[in-house]
Structures are given as C-alpha cells and as structure tokens.
Amino acid sequence: MLRIEPIPAFEDNYIWLLADAGRRDDRVAVVDPGDAEPVIERLRADGCTLSAILLTHHHGDHQGGVAELLACWPDAQVAAPADERIRHATMRVGEGDRVAAPGLDVAFQVLSVPGHTATHIAYLADGALFCGDTLFAGGCGRVFDGSFEQLAASLRRIAALPPETLCYCAHEYTLANLGFAQWVEPDNRDLLARIAVAQHLRERGEPTVPSPLSLERTTNPFLRTTEPAVVAAAEAFAGSDLADETAVFTALRRWKDERYD
C-alpha cells in the first residue's frame, strides 16, 4: 500500500511524495519535482532516501528539480517519457510499461495520455492515478504541443478507469476550474456541492486533491462531453452544432482558453 502526501511547490504545484504505508523502508519516490528545495527539506526532515523520480512530461515546473535531487541522491532512478526535452532520465517509459520504485511494494502502470504535451504519460498504481497536467480537479490542462483530439481521447481513457480511482493532479487549480464548470452547468447540484466543499478546504489551507474519478465524472465538464447540458453550452459558445464528443471537448477547451483563463 502507498502512503501519498503532497509537497507544495511554487505558487500552486504539488509534488507527490510516495512511501510504503507501513514505513518498512526509508526509501521513497516523488512525482514531478519541479523544485528540488522543498523535496530535499522534507526528505531530510523525515530521514528518507530518494529512490525514484516519476516524470509525466517535460515542462519545467515538473522536471526542474531533477538535477539537484540527483546531486543529493545519485542512485535514484528517473522514469520519464521518451522525450529529448527531458534530461537525466535513467529509463524511458511508455504505454504498457511498468515501473518498480525501490522501497515501494507496488508497480506503476504507465498510461500514454497525450494532449497537454505530445508525450505526456501518467502512472497508475494502488488505485491512484498520477496524471500530471492531463486531468485537473474540475478541469484539464491546456493544449501545448499536443492536440485537442489527443487530449479529448486521453480524458475519455481516464474516465473509463474504475470510479474509485483517486486522481492526483499536479496543481491547485480546483476553485478556478469549478468556476468555469459552473458557467457550463449552472444547474448541476453536484457541482454546487463540490464548490462549497472546495471553498471550505481552501479556507483551511488544505488541498482539494486528490479527487475520486466518480466526482470528476459528475462535476468536470471535460469528462461530461455527452451530457445534454454540456453539449448545449458548448454549442452556444461555438455558435453551431457540434458533431461528436471531440468537437464538444474542443469547444469547451477553447471557451476556457479565450473567455475564462
């Protein structure tokens, strides 16, 4: 079993610390360490050794701390997608691969989830999905060097995972995402309830993530592209009928890009 805790970084990033739930081993792993300093501080305070780094994509706020971490723990393995923009990788992984982090009694299944970037991957283990910037609580990532079609397909793939899957995204964007979701579905009672809970958590300085996939399915418009209310809202923005789920997704993402963010 995994013990998973957030290490806050920058203004709104989460670096995920992964350890054996029984603390039978002092070796730990981290996901997407954009900043080394908070990781070093935490591991030294806990008396832990970094054995593995899991990277989801090449953006600097996800891989920027790797070199400094390897200077402290040179034996740590670094799993990353096959992308020349990511340096220091000791293993290049992709769809269907499995990653075993020393000291953790689980193996991570690698999922290809492009769209935010062309080579974005996610890691799945023990009912936890480390999805980087593909799926956010209440939202999804922007499209950079991937495509809208890729991201729409990646989100459909994530939505098909078991509903109890916990989604560990990399940013505290939840309230802003839910604000846009309320534009799309102002009468969604599940969404209104989620907003109230998220506001309460943030007022107490607590993270709003992880979130169960079941909650994302009922409140995240980017996973609800067949719902009549979502389709109608996307078509109103687009000013025309939309042919399929991908077209609905693309309209929603462009709407958020142009009018909300």
Side-chain angles (χ1 to χ4, degrees), residues 177-216:
N177 287 335
L178 296 180
F180 175 73
Q182 194 174 11
W183 278 16
V184 179
E185 287 190 282
D187 298 322
N188 183 331
R189 293 184 179 181
D190 292 327
L191 175 58
L192 296 176
R194 185 180 187 182
I195 290 171
V197 171
Q199 288 173 334
H200 180 65
L201 289 170
R202 296 310 295 154
E203 287 167 1
R204 294 169 53 180
E206 297 180 15
T208 61
V209 291
S211 58
L213 186 55
S214 57
L215 182 61
E216 296 305 322

Side-chain angles (χ1 to χ4, degrees), residues 4-256:
I4 307 169
E5 297 180 7
I7 301 176
F10 306 121
E11 292 185 1
D12 51 34
N13 280 65
Y14 291 126
I15 300 166
W16 295 106
L17 172 66
L18 314 180
D20 180 81
R23 289 305 301 268
R24 297 184 297 270
D25 198 305
D26 68 356
R27 291 175 293 178
V28 300
V30 293
V31 182
D32 284 349
D35 187 6
E37 183 177 351
V39 177
I40 294 170
E41 181 179 334
R42 175 64 181 274
L43 267 58
R44 287 180 173 166
D46 290 352
C48 294
T49 298
L50 183 65
S51 70
I53 298 168
L54 308 181
L55 299 177
T56 62
H57 64 292
H58 74 277
H59 287 161
D61 63 325
H62 292 254
Q63 66 155 330
V66 172
E68 190 174 347
L69 290 174
L70 290 177
C72 296
W73 292 281
D75 294 331
Q77 66 181 33
V78 182
D83 190 322
E84 64 183 10
R85 296 168 293 188
I86 299 177
R87 301 174 59 195
H88 309 298
T90 62
M91 47 191 309
R92 300 289 185 178
V93 297
E95 175 64 34
D97 289 335
R98 298 184 74 83
V99 177
L104 303 183
D105 193 24
V106 297
F108 296 87
Q109 178 185 353
V110 178
L111 306 179
S112 176
V113 287
H116 176 67
T117 69
T119 60
H120 201 300
I121 60 175
Y123 300 88
L124 177 66
D126 205 19
L129 178 71
F130 301 94
C131 47
D133 288 357
T134 295
L135 175 72
F136 291 134
C140 70
R142 286 177 175 266
V143 172
F144 284 89
D145 59 272
S147 69
F148 291 99
E149 292 78 11
Q150 286 178 326
L151 187 51
S154 294
L155 291 173
R156 288 195 295 271
R157 182 180 190 188
I158 289 173
L161 294 172
E164 64 273 15
T165 302
L166 291 177
C167 303
Y168 290 83
C169 65
H171 291 276
E172 184 57 67
Y173 290 164
T174 308
L175 284 177
N177 287 335
L178 296 180
F180 175 73
Q182 194 174 11
W183 278 16
V184 179
E185 287 190 282
D187 298 322
N188 183 331
R189 293 184 179 181
D190 292 327
L191 175 58
L192 296 176
R194 185 180 187 182
I195 290 171
V197 171
Q199 288 173 334
H200 180 65
L201 289 170
R202 296 310 295 154
E203 287 167 1
R204 294 169 53 180
E206 297 180 15
T208 61
V209 291
S211 58
L213 186 55
S214 57
L215 182 61
E216 296 305 322
R217 289 176 179 175
T218 58
T219 59
N220 186 330
F222 297 103
L223 299 188
R224 294 171 57 77
T225 51
T226 62
E227 292 295 320
V230 175
V231 173
E235 289 181 338
F237 168 76
S240 63
D241 292 342
L242 299 172
D244 54 29
E245 289 184 64
T246 298
V248 173
F249 168 82
T250 301
L252 290 174
R253 188 61 258 185
R254 291 190 185 280
W255 182 7
K256 192 169 190 294

